[in-house]
Amino acid sequence: MEFTVDQIAQLLDGTVEGDGSQVINNLEKIQEGKPGSIGFLANLKYEKHLYSTNCSAIIVSKDFVPQKSYTATLVKVTDPYSAFSKLLESYAALTRPNPLGIEEPSFFGKDSTIGEGFYRGAFSYIGKNCTIGDNVKIYPQVFIGDNVTIGNNCVFHPGVKIYAQTKIGSYCEIHGGTIIGSDGFGFTPQPDGTYNNVPQLGNVILEDHISIGSNSTIDCATMGSTLIKNGVKIDNHVQIAHNVTLGENTVIAAQAGVAGSTVIGKNCVLAGKSSIVGHIELADNTTIGGNTGVMKSVTEPGTTLFGFIGFDVKAFLKSYSVFKKLPLLQDKLRELEKKQ
């Protein structure tokens, strides 16, 4: 697949500085580029690579001013990272395989329906009473349980498991090994030290434009629904417990966990290995740093939290009561120092 720099600039609403007639046949990192490839420069800590890169063209900010001589043609855009992402998306759409039809052996349950333009890979299983929309790709070894509803243009990569009663909207992509709708972690302690299982009777609802990475798990609700709203992006190895609600366009990075019945607002960011206790709420636009544990609700939109160290709970609570007052104590200490 080949395009000129001018054609790429037109796609990205950019302007060209240099030879726009050069032919581009690959996308590369700026530091690894080869002739005929295009890269991008969004973070200026990589600027040094612009002056030595073998890429034929580089996407940069329209405000970027080079500090040294360079040989690559520049494509200037408003947002280099978003522009390169758009280019990757367009390239993938042109080059990605588009399998169609049915591979055998596979199973399709009674009273289930599937729309046009579908693909069902070998050893896939679709239960009874399922409703599946148009242009859905179901790769090998995908399991879809009974009474599942799936919208249009969804992709289920190999090994995905969708439990019964799950509802999935349109334009969702779920990567290999992820499980949607497994039982929530519900057990009641007994006087003799054992635990009784609490039946999990609810389901999971995924709205539209949701992406879920590999080997993540979203548990079904005890009653009602675990709800993942429009535009949520979930990384690999993430645990979402029963009855959780994730607001629109929230992003969760790898190895994060959200405990049961927590409600997370829209446009939140949960960094890697962050952990959220159950039965709390996070306001819209909350950011949780990596390895941060959140123990209580966040009520102020736009809050950023960072840092957590676990130790004896009584000692922690005493220390925390002092820790919160450290800025005030520091001010008092400075006042005392001035009086000496």
Side-chain angles (χ1 to χ4, degrees):
M1 198 72 64
E2 295 184 341
F3 300 93
T4 66
V5 175
D6 284 334
Q7 288 173 321
I8 292 171
Q10 184 176 9
L11 171 68
L12 304 179
D13 295 322
T15 58
V16 176
E17 289 189 4
D19 183 4
S21 65
Q22 291 188 87
V23 174
I24 302 298
N25 54 34
N26 201 7
L27 286 72
E28 297 275 4
K29 296 178 181 178
I30 188 173
Q31 63 269 38
E32 299 175 2
K34 303 176 182 64
S37 65
I38 186 170
F40 76 106
L41 175 61
N43 189 329
L44 290 181
K45 76 177 185 179
Y46 294 100
E47 180 181 349
K48 62 182 181 181
H49 298 296
L50 172 65
Y51 310 116
S52 60
T53 186
N54 290 318
C55 286
S56 296
I58 299 293
I59 300 169
V60 300
S61 169
K62 63 182 180 180
D63 300 323
F64 174 71
V65 178
Q67 303 301 309
K68 300 179 183 179
S69 62
Y70 58 94
T71 59
T73 294
L74 302 185
V75 178
K76 291 197 165 185
V77 298
T78 301
D79 182 345
Y81 187 78
S82 294
F84 196 73
S85 297
K86 182 178 180 180
L87 188 57
L88 285 170
E89 184 178 353
S90 299
Y91 184 81
L94 292 170
T95 59
R96 181 178 295 161
N98 183 35
L100 295 171
I102 303 170
E103 295 176 352
E104 297 294 355
S106 61
F107 181 84
F108 195 75
K110 182 180 178 182
D111 297 324
S112 289
T113 61
I114 191 167
E116 299 178 352
F118 68 85
Y119 165 66
R120 288 166 42 205
F123 300 101
S124 60
Y125 179 101
I126 298 173
K128 62 184 180 182
N129 298 315
C130 293
T131 302
I132 301 172
D134 296 334
N135 304 311
V136 173
K137 309 300 182 187
I138 299 169
Y139 280 85
Q141 298 183 334
V142 169
F143 170 87
I144 298 174
D146 297 340
N147 305 304
V148 170
T149 300
I150 297 170
N152 301 324
N153 301 292
C154 291
V155 180
F156 303 96
H157 291 278
V160 168
K161 305 294 185 287
I162 310 294
Y163 280 41
Q165 317 299 331
T166 299
K167 298 183 184 299
I168 298 175
S170 297
Y171 296 96
C172 294
E173 184 169 13
I174 303 176
H175 288 274
T178 283
I179 299 174
I180 309 295
S182 53
D183 274 4
F185 193 64
F187 299 92
T188 54
Q190 302 301 302
D192 62 358
T194 61
Y195 292 86
N196 280 353
N197 181 55
V198 177
Q200 306 293 294
L201 304 178
N203 71 340
V204 173
I205 297 177
L206 306 183
E207 294 186 344
D208 301 333
H209 296 283
I210 290 168
S211 176
I212 304 175
S214 300
N215 297 313
S216 291
T217 303
I218 301 177
D219 291 340
C220 72
T222 306
M223 295 180 290
S225 298
T226 301
L227 177 59
I228 314 299
K229 294 188 176 182
N230 292 323
V232 167
K233 311 301 180 188
I234 297 174
D235 199 0
N236 306 325
H237 297 280
V238 170
Q239 162 67 20
I240 307 297
H242 53 193
N243 292 98
V244 165
T245 295
L246 299 182
E248 292 89 346
N249 301 313
T250 281
V251 177
I252 304 181
Q255 299 184 34
V258 182
S261 299
T262 285
V263 177
I264 295 178
K266 62 184 180 181
N267 299 111
C268 294
V269 176
L270 277 61
K273 293 188 177 181
S274 57
S275 56
I276 317 297
V277 301
H279 302 275
I280 65 172
E281 297 185 12
L282 301 188
D284 296 344
N285 299 292
T286 296
T287 297
I288 309 299
N291 290 290
T292 297
V294 181
M295 307 295 290
K296 63 179 183 179
S297 291
V298 175
T299 58
E300 184 67 27
T303 298
T304 297
L305 302 180
F306 190 86
F308 187 81
I309 300 174
F311 53 98
D312 179 79
V313 63
K314 292 181 180 179
F316 169 77
L317 293 173
K318 290 179 180 178
S319 299
Y320 182 65
S321 67
V322 175
F323 176 75
K324 291 190 299 182
K325 300 175 183 178
L326 283 179
L328 178 61
L329 293 173
Q330 184 182 43
D331 290 341
K332 291 183 177 180
L333 179 60
R334 285 173 177 169
E335 290 177 7
L336 290 172
E337 288 175 341
K338 289 177 181 180
K339 292 178 181 181
Q340 290 181 352

